[in-house]
Amino acid sequence: AQKVTQAQTEISVVEKEDVTLDCVYETRDTTYYLFWYKQPPSGELVFLIRRNSFDEQNEISGRYSWNFQKSTSSFNFTITASQVVDSAVYFCALSGGKSGGYQKVTFGIGTKLQVIP
Amino acid sequence: NAGVTQTPKFRVLKTGQSMTLLCAQDMNHEYMYWYRQDPGMGLRLIHYSVGEGTTAKGEVPDGYNVSRLKKQNFLLGLESAAPSQTSVYFCASSYLGNTEAFFGQGTRLTVV
């Protein structure tokens, strides 16, 4: 079975602070995919990033960056210079092939980020 | 550019009533999914479909049925609603099982 743990249920930061959202995963698959989604107060989930298990390069997109470390089974997400618009629930998710197929994506419980102006 | 559209957005049901949630996507995706979101539990997969005419069970399928008669539509049915089915339901679609999913805006269902 596959599992995604987001130990931080809620985080509050002051605007312009950096914040890291942790994601730890478990899987027996050698090929798997990791995702981050954002759910703003409006409710709809928005895709942020997808990473496959063979690509450990860190990714940067504007103020967002992701650190993938297979050695610690972690896929952490950092927001630099946070803004109020970053306030949302962020989900980490895992898709592994042997766990019944890639379509059976496992989501973490989410981390609610509040950015205080 | 509609993407994934769910109807209705809100619904209140009495215990024992039935209803159908409709999901439509215009991206020609093969894969479609129904999730439920509950506080402290993230998103859990109810049922999914890998193509027109096919459906399969996810993590929490009991009490729900689905149909995919047309590629662009994925219906979720509750035959006899129970208070435990009070939740926010999300439909999603993707090109492949391991590619990004596009989500609908959600349906907030309350069963009293």
Side-chain angles (χ1 to χ4, degrees), chain A residues 83-104:
Chain A
Q83 299 177 2
V84 173
V85 292
D86 297 325
S87 297
V89 180
Y90 292 87
F91 291 96
C92 180
L94 167 66
S95 169
K98 289 184 180 177
S99 303
Y102 289 111
Q103 62 273 10
K104 287 193 173 182

Side-chain angles (χ1 to χ4, degrees), chain A residues 43-59:
Chain A
E44 193 167 332
L45 280 91
V46 177
F47 166 80
L48 294 177
I49 190 172
R50 167 183 177 256
R51 173 68 75 216
N52 74 57
S53 53
F54 299 107
D55 182 4
E56 287 194 72
Q57 261 193 324
N58 290 333
E59 176 105 4

Side-chain angles (χ1 to χ4, degrees), chain B residues 1-6 23-32 68 70-74 91-94 102-104:
Chain B
N1 191 9
V4 178
T5 303
Q6 291 180 230
C23 177
Q25 53 97 2
D26 62 1
M27 295 171 283
N28 203 34
H29 286 163
E30 292 290 343
Y31 291 74
M32 295 188 74
R68 183 110 181 258
K70 293 183 178 180
K71 185 177 183 178
Q72 63 268 33
N73 295 336
F74 194 30
C91 175
S93 72
S94 63
F102 293 81
F103 284 82

Side-chain angles (χ1 to χ4, degrees), chain B residues 26-103:
Chain B
D26 62 1
M27 295 171 283
N28 203 34
H29 286 163
E30 292 290 343
Y31 291 74
M32 295 188 74
Y33 318 82
W34 276 106
Y35 291 92
R36 59 177 289 173
Q37 182 179 16
D38 302 292
M41 304 193 75
L43 278 81
R44 292 181 293 169
L45 183 63
I46 304 171
H47 286 279
Y48 63 95
S49 168
V50 300
E52 180 179 318
T54 73
T55 63
K57 295 180 180 179
E59 183 184 353
V60 289
D62 294 342
Y64 306 94
N65 57 75
V66 289
S67 64
R68 183 110 181 258
L69 299 179
K70 293 183 178 180
K71 185 177 183 178
Q72 63 268 33
N73 295 336
F74 194 30
L75 279 63
L76 178 70
L78 286 73
E79 291 184 347
S80 180
S84 60
Q85 294 177 305
T86 293
S87 186
V88 180
Y89 292 86
F90 286 96
C91 175
S93 72
S94 63
Y95 177 61
L96 293 173
N98 57 5
T99 56
E100 66 179 278
F102 293 81
F103 284 82

